[in-house]
Amino acid sequence: MTWQDLALLGGGLGLFLFGMKQMGDGLERAAGDSLRRFLEILTCSRFLGLLVGLVFTMVVQSSSATTVMVVGFVRAGLMDLHQAAGVIFGANIGTTITAQLIALQVSDAAPVLLLAGVLLHCFCRRRFLQDLGGVLAGFGMLFLGLTLMGEAASKLRDMPEAADFLAVFARTPVLGILAGLAVTAVIQSSSASVGLLQLLAAQGVIGLDGAIFVVMGQNIGTTVTAILASAGGGKAARRAALLHLLFNVFGTVLFFALVRLLPVTAWIAALTPGNPMRQIANAHTLFNVCSVAALLPFLDPLVRLTEKLIPEERPASARAGRRKAFREGDA
């Protein structure tokens, strides 16, 4: 792989990320502030919160955007940790829609969508049509970026060293998890890293038996965005970010055990034989659905664990009072 190929891969990744952001921003603008009110109000129960997080993330095409918004709501006191947990659970399922769309392989329509989107955005006067144009243009850029990344990834197919390196993930699952975590933490988008993994699988560079562990790591890596957003935001915001991290770590542990004990990989492959992109999309979806199903009944203990790991600080006056009592006791 030459420097030109690496530049092509980086350019395709940049176009993918920008297209995904453009599409999400356009959908959010088209829906207006109702999406935020929807997220803020309809979270009175864990199941409603899960549904809201799922729908909202499907619309904005980014679980990171959802969790960052949830961190902001918790910081502002508009949502408590139990409500935030339900939304975060739903966001993890909603984010899998991007991988499913990628697996449809509609790249041939990308230039048409891009052109239609630009025309709507530039020449229509109605705000709704302009926003819709932004959505279509973003969708087109997303798949054009995938096409560029696919051209670069195809060069890896002719490199036995790359195939041998990625094959290690099947033999050493922990390395696959760490690789998925690192890549997603760097680019701060699980959708982009899963999309790149789908392209590598489509080129025959990595098999599902190794890719499934990378998917697990990608779901942990996506929590970095919320952790960064919570920095300096007080204990409530840090708790929301930690809750997201704990949920994804516990989900990874549970799904890892499931994969090691049962022929999960074979079941996923049998659903769509000969279609590695769809197989990875289904693995991504199955991981998140299983995690939510297993951990939703334990939402309250998970919240208590988060509160225990980041406890409330006692008022300064109380600490001063204890120190004074301690000194008087010594006297």
Side-chain angles (χ1 to χ4, degrees), residues 28-283:
E28 194 172 351
R29 286 194 302 269
D33 292 333
S34 57
L35 272 177
R36 287 188 177 84
R37 289 197 296 270
F38 185 66
L39 182 62
E40 181 182 341
I41 296 170
L42 297 181
T43 52
C44 56
S45 75
R46 66 185 65 181
F47 298 104
L48 272 178
L50 190 151
L51 181 62
V52 169
L54 190 156
V55 172
F56 189 90
T57 306
M58 288 176 64
V59 169
V60 300
Q61 291 285 296
S62 173
S63 61
S64 296
T66 303
T67 51
V68 167
M69 193 173 295
V70 166
V71 167
F73 284 152
V74 172
R75 178 189 300 174
L78 300 174
M79 186 182 291
D80 63 29
L81 207 53
H82 286 83
Q83 292 172 308
V87 178
I88 289 170
F89 282 23
N92 275 39
I93 298 178
T95 194
T96 63
I97 190 66
T98 306
Q100 295 292 348
L101 289 173
I102 292 171
L104 292 176
Q105 294 181 297
V106 294
S107 300
D108 292 341
V112 177
L113 291 171
L114 181 56
L115 176 61
V118 170
L119 291 175
L120 281 174
H121 187 75
C122 293
F123 297 106
C124 289
R125 293 185 177 181
R126 291 185 58 186
R127 180 63 181 271
F128 176 78
L129 292 177
Q130 289 178 349
D131 292 335
L132 181 61
V135 173
L136 293 177
F139 201 67
M141 283 188 283
L142 188 153
F143 279 98
L144 282 178
L146 274 175
T147 301
L148 293 178
M149 286 195 293
E151 291 178 12
S154 65
K155 306 296 177 64
L156 292 173
R157 181 176 51 192
D158 303 323
M159 296 176 60
E161 298 87 358
D164 292 342
F165 174 73
L166 294 175
V168 172
F169 296 161
R171 300 192 298 269
T172 314
V174 174
L175 290 180
I177 293 173
L178 291 176
L181 191 161
V183 171
T184 308
V186 170
I187 63 178
Q188 293 195 33
S189 172
S190 61
S191 296
S193 59
V194 172
L196 181 58
L197 186 65
Q198 287 175 284
L199 292 173
L200 292 173
Q203 298 295 339
V205 179
I206 186 171
L208 181 62
D209 53 347
I212 195 167
F213 299 110
V214 181
V215 168
M216 297 181 201
Q218 288 166 335
N219 279 272
I220 298 176
T222 194
T223 63
V224 169
T225 307
I227 292 171
L228 293 174
S230 69
K235 287 193 175 295
R238 294 201 300 274
R239 282 176 173 177
L242 177 61
L243 181 69
H244 188 204
L245 175 63
L246 290 175
F247 168 70
N248 283 22
V249 168
F250 289 152
T252 297
V253 172
L254 291 172
F255 195 68
F256 181 86
L258 198 65
V259 169
R260 301 299 281 180
L261 294 174
L262 298 173
V264 175
T265 305
W267 294 341
I268 295 172
L271 286 175
T272 51
N275 191 340
M277 293 185 78
R278 176 66 66 187
Q279 290 170 2
I280 289 177
N282 290 339

Side-chain angles (χ1 to χ4, degrees), residues 278-290:
R278 176 66 66 187
Q279 290 170 2
I280 289 177
N282 290 339
H284 189 214
T285 301
L286 181 64
F287 169 86
N288 285 287
V289 169
C290 287

